[in-house]
């Protein structure tokens, strides 16, 4: 997969997750969506193990940011 395309996909997921994270309170559905976004980012990160994660925007602790 093209690195630029992967970065765009990651940016879209991060943007959606950050929007949910910024909410003062989340209902159960929104909390489930946040967990799903975090899991999706983790799957992508695992698929890119051994590659430069900064290049695709995944050089941060996903669990710490979204599942705290």
């Amino acid at each position: 997969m093209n690195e630029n395309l992967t970065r765009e996909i990651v940016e879209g997921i991060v943007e959606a997750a950050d929007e949910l994270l910024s909410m003062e309170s989340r209902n159960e559905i929104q909390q489930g969506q946040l967990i799903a976004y975090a899991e999706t980012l983790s799957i992508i990160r695992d698929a890119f193990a051994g590659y430069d994660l900064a290049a695709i925007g995944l050089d941060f602790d996903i669990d710490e940011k979204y599942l705290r």
Side-chain angles (χ1 to χ4, degrees):
M1 182 176 284
N2 180 316
E3 186 176 289
N4 290 329
L5 177 59
T6 303
R7 184 172 187 81
E8 287 181 36
I9 292 168
V10 168
E11 287 173 353
I13 297 168
V14 167
E15 183 179 312
D18 286 349
E19 185 177 322
L20 286 170
L21 191 62
S22 71
M23 299 173 118
E24 254 181 58
S25 64
R26 291 179 292 276
N27 63 34
E28 290 177 1
I29 292 172
Q30 293 163 326
Q31 186 61 35
Q33 287 175 318
L34 187 57
I35 292 167
Y37 288 139
E39 184 63 25
T40 302
L41 292 172
S42 293
I43 291 168
I44 294 169
R45 181 193 60 213
D46 292 347
F48 279 82
Y51 291 91
D52 180 13
L53 293 178
I56 60 168
L58 280 176
D59 57 332
F60 63 93
D61 186 335
I62 296 165
D63 291 346
E64 177 65 29
K65 182 171 183 180
Y66 296 117
L67 302 178
R68 51 188 159 101

